[in-house]
Amino acid sequence: AEHQHARYNPLRDDWVLVSAHRVKRPWQGQLEKPPPEDVPRWDPNNPLCPGATRANGEVNPRYEGTFVFPNDFPALQPDAPEPGDSDHPLFQAAAARGVCKVMCFHPWSDLTLPLMSLAEIRAVVDAWAELAAELGASYPWVQIFENKGAMMGCSNPHPHCQVWASSFLPNEARLEDRTQRQHLSQRGVPMLLEYAEQEAQRKERLVVENEDWLVVVPYWATWPYQTLLLPRRHVCRLQDLREGERDSLASIMQRLLIKYDNLFEVSFPYSMGWHGAPTGPYLEEDCGHWQLHAHYYPPLLRSATVRKFMVGYEMLAQAQRDLTPEQAAERLRNLPEVHYKQRAK
């Protein structure tokens, strides 16, 4: 807690420098703008709202639950041509095809996941699993991710996520596939299943838990209040979750996200995403080394206006964090589970 040291991340096969004393240094750098508190519930100019007209001229239905539609500005398209042959090993290109979808969580723009009901969050979980199965029937990788808040590049104040399916395994997927496969080969148990059992016993990095899930600030966390959401049972993919596990997932997500918002009493920004076993052609292979999990990467460090910057040493050498994972977990763990907006005045 007092002296700098490095910690190994077995999932990414790299290291993070922990320098807990640096959080005490004075700050005269950039201050972020807190997110707006006056987001209208419905705005005809917001392209994610029910009944609104999107950039391509299509009109959204008057949806009342989740709503999925093709991204109007997709990063991947299914019919992209093959690149030309390379004339040198230092100048390689490869085909990249896929589809990109947007999923609205709720028709109201002034809600976020922690302020939604458990039934509404469960509907999001079911929609995630349905999309993972549908797109995973043909694509090797389906990346579900949510960028929450303008600080994390979210361009629209409406509760939503994105789902990109690709004809290739992205870098993070390939890396986690390799490290988890090696761990199973060496220790005979899936890495993140063993890790979850260890963290459940040790409890020093535990944030919230229930019968089926636990959330920890991982031992190797890079971002200040980064968390890892893990099932207790060996599960390879979202679509493999049982009914009860989907209910308890909705519950633990709500509890975690309420704590996030309560930390600085602000709608807490983050990027999150699900990682599970590859799909498409990999459905016919043994992917038992994989364990389903979700990463949450929030940028805030000291307050609602002071963030962690990954620059300089982090970009040119290795990741560095300014408080220990144990300190971050204790602070999150001790926060109330009633949202600050819903407390009695």
Side-chain angles (χ1 to χ4, degrees):
E2 298 296 331
H3 302 287
Q4 67 269 15
H5 60 281
R7 296 192 184 190
Y8 180 62
N9 181 346
L11 194 58
R12 300 197 74 260
D13 189 24
D14 64 10
W15 292 80
V16 58
L17 175 63
V18 181
S19 311
H21 57 284
R22 276 173 54 83
V23 79
K24 300 174 184 177
R25 73 192 193 278
W27 182 261
Q28 295 183 342
Q30 178 171 315
L31 298 179
E32 307 294 332
K33 288 184 178 180
E37 295 283 348
D38 57 348
V39 175
R41 179 156 292 181
W42 184 84
D43 180 355
N45 296 315
N46 184 330
L48 299 188
C49 280
T53 302
R54 303 203 309 272
N56 62 358
E58 291 192 22
V59 179
N60 295 335
R62 295 279 179 176
Y63 65 92
E64 297 181 351
T66 60
F67 169 51
V68 179
F69 62 93
N71 194 315
D72 296 328
F73 301 96
L76 292 164
Q77 296 179 323
D79 54 357
E82 290 277 350
D85 293 334
S86 171
D87 61 357
H88 193 282
L90 293 179
F91 301 92
Q92 296 188 48
R97 301 185 180 94
V99 296
C100 298
K101 294 182 180 288
V102 176
M103 180 201 296
C104 295
F105 296 153
H106 196 280
W108 296 355
S109 293
D110 58 344
L111 280 190
T112 55
L113 278 172
L115 292 168
M116 289 165 52
S117 70
L118 285 176
E120 290 166 339
I121 300 173
R122 167 63 198 265
V124 171
V125 171
D126 287 339
W128 281 342
E130 183 178 338
L131 272 176
E134 174 192 330
L135 297 174
S138 52
Y139 286 103
W141 190 255
V142 180
Q143 183 59 65
I144 297 168
F145 65 97
E146 179 193 4
N147 294 327
K148 180 172 178 255
M151 196 182 303
M152 297 308 291
C154 180
S155 59
N156 196 291
H158 191 93
H160 72 284
C161 72
Q162 298 189 55
V163 184
W164 295 10
S166 61
S167 62
F168 55 91
L169 287 188
N171 293 341
E172 293 296 311
R174 291 170 56 201
L175 182 55
E176 289 193 4
D177 185 70
R178 174 176 64 82
T179 58
Q180 290 180 98
R181 189 184 298 275
Q182 288 175 344
H183 187 93
L184 180 64
S185 174
Q186 294 167 2
R187 295 187 56 80
V189 61
M191 178 197 294
L192 292 180
L193 184 61
E194 181 177 10
Y195 179 68
E197 292 170 350
Q198 285 289 318
E199 290 288 32
Q201 294 171 13
R202 296 169 185 256
K203 297 192 180 301
E204 58 188 330
R205 284 170 295 275
L206 192 65
V207 177
V208 287
E209 63 178 330
N210 61 26
E211 183 179 353
D212 300 311
W213 300 87
L214 69 158
V215 176
V216 300
V217 177
Y219 177 79
W220 52 79
T222 298
W223 293 92
Y225 293 96
Q226 175 181 334
T227 54
L228 184 62
L229 171 57
L230 295 162
R232 296 182 187 271
R233 180 176 69 91
H234 186 204
V235 184
C236 288
R237 301 177 177 95
L238 259 174
Q239 52 268 45
D240 299 334
L241 292 176
R242 300 166 180 162
E243 288 293 309
E245 290 169 333
R246 296 185 183 199
D247 287 335
S248 56
L249 173 56
S251 174
I252 204 164
M253 284 174 53
Q254 185 188 61
R255 293 169 63 197
L256 169 65
L257 297 179
I258 285 174
K259 284 180 178 289
Y260 268 162
D261 280 10
N262 284 344
L263 179 61
F264 299 128
E265 295 199 347
V266 70
S267 184
F268 205 68
Y270 58 73
S271 280
M272 73 80 65
W274 285 100
H275 283 175
T279 47
Y282 295 91
L283 292 170
E284 305 299 321
E285 299 184 10
D286 181 3
C287 290
H289 54 291
W290 271 90
Q291 175 73 329
L292 176 70
H293 59 282
H295 296 283
Y296 284 83
Y297 298 131
L300 292 179
L301 173 61
R302 302 177 183 217
S303 68
T305 61
V306 178
R307 66 178 298 172
K308 167 68 178 178
F309 287 90
M310 292 292 181
V311 296
Y313 189 87
E314 290 89 349
M315 294 177 70
L316 297 165
Q318 70 180 38
Q320 178 268 332
R321 60 178 291 118
D322 301 284
L323 74 166
T324 68
E326 294 75 26
Q327 291 167 334
E330 181 180 18
R331 188 166 182 188
L332 289 172
R333 186 169 56 244
N334 292 335
L335 289 166
E337 294 188 10
V338 175
H339 198 278
Y340 72 91
K341 288 186 175 181
Q342 297 173 330
R343 291 181 205 149
K345 299 296 183 183

